[in-house]
Amino acid sequence: HSSRRRTLSARVKMSSDWVKSFSDIAGYAKNAAQQASTMMAGSELERKLAEATSNEPWGASSTMLQEISRATFAYDDFKTVMLFVWRSAQNQGALWRVTYKTLNMLDYILRHGSERVIEDAKDHLREIKKLQKFEYVDPDGKDQGVNVREKARQLVEMLTSEEALNAERDKARATRNKYGGVSAAEMSGGGGGGG
């Protein structure tokens, strides 16, 4: 009787350990799902930033980049955009596309966004310079890091030459005025300007 009781007791303990392990795993999964849904439920700006820098093989639309660059003129949105940029620029390896698209977005907002973007990017010049050494070779043997390295090189060049940066911003402003027309806010007397 006593050996049968011990065997039964051992089985009950094993099964309760299994149930505990399973509920721990279920708890982790539930927590991860909640975190993911919280991230997905972020602000509209955060969703646009995530979409603009996704790991998908297509780039962000010019409309989306325009909206993100306009957001840099609002203090809180500026902080959101730039924190996102520096966090996303740290991706490595197989997430090379996210890093590349983040650098493309930074390029766009340097040309079209608030002057504060320039100052912030200059403060982070060291991180951008590190990306000039970015390496990732995909499973097919293709050097995907070359895209990140070249974009980082272009950004460093632009950020270290006040003249080049001003020329790019002037060119962007001229293009925006040529094709952009007048915004609804400007038509209603809501002001405008920027730059």
Side-chain angles (χ1 to χ4, degrees):
H1 280 314
S2 113
S3 72
R4 191 186 287 164
R5 216 177 288 148
R6 268 186 296 208
T7 307
L8 185 59
S9 173
R11 283 187 188 153
V12 168
K13 183 178 179 344
M14 279 176 45
S15 116
S16 83
D17 287 348
W18 184 86
V19 168
K20 184 181 181 311
S21 294
F22 182 80
S23 68
D24 285 349
I25 292 168
Y28 291 133
K30 182 179 176 187
N31 189 31
Q34 284 173 335
Q35 285 178 340
S37 70
T38 300
M39 285 169 54
M40 292 303 291
S43 73
E44 185 178 341
L45 176 58
E46 289 165 327
R47 284 193 297 274
K48 285 178 184 169
L49 289 164
E51 187 178 332
T53 60
S54 72
N55 201 27
E56 299 300 331
W58 53 82
S61 72
S62 58
T63 303
M64 185 175 296
L65 291 173
Q66 287 169 0
E67 290 170 5
I68 291 168
S69 79
R70 273 195 299 267
T72 65
F73 289 93
Y75 182 73
D76 287 337
D77 289 347
F78 164 79
K79 289 194 305 189
T80 300
V81 170
M82 297 316 291
L83 282 170
F84 187 93
V85 165
W86 305 124
R87 190 176 58 230
S88 295
Q90 293 175 14
N91 284 308
Q92 296 291 314
L95 292 174
W96 67 270
R97 196 176 276 120
V98 173
T99 305
Y100 178 67
K101 289 163 105 177
T102 298
L103 293 178
N104 275 330
M105 181 175 71
L106 177 60
D107 184 295
Y108 190 92
I109 63 178
L110 279 166
R111 296 167 195 260
H112 299 268
S114 159
E115 293 276 338
R116 289 181 298 181
V117 173
I118 298 166
E119 295 310 312
D120 198 61
K122 285 180 177 179
D123 289 345
H124 289 84
L125 195 56
R126 191 174 185 177
E127 286 102 302
I128 300 169
K129 284 181 176 180
K130 281 182 190 173
L131 292 172
Q132 291 178 308
K133 293 179 169 75
F134 187 95
E135 290 194 19
Y136 177 68
V137 176
D138 70 17
D140 297 329
K142 185 172 184 214
D143 179 9
Q144 298 291 3
V146 68
N147 302 311
V148 173
R149 291 191 301 272
E150 178 57 22
K151 182 50 79 173
R153 186 196 62 73
Q154 291 168 6
L155 288 169
V156 167
E157 199 173 283
M158 187 167 46
L159 285 166
T160 54
S161 167
E162 203 69 37
E163 192 177 309
L165 185 57
N166 289 331
E168 290 301 325
R169 286 181 65 85
D170 289 345
K171 198 183 325 175
R173 192 175 301 113
T175 304
R176 190 169 54 242
N177 292 340
K178 183 176 177 182
Y179 297 110
V182 180
S183 74
E186 291 167 327
M187 286 181 75
S188 66

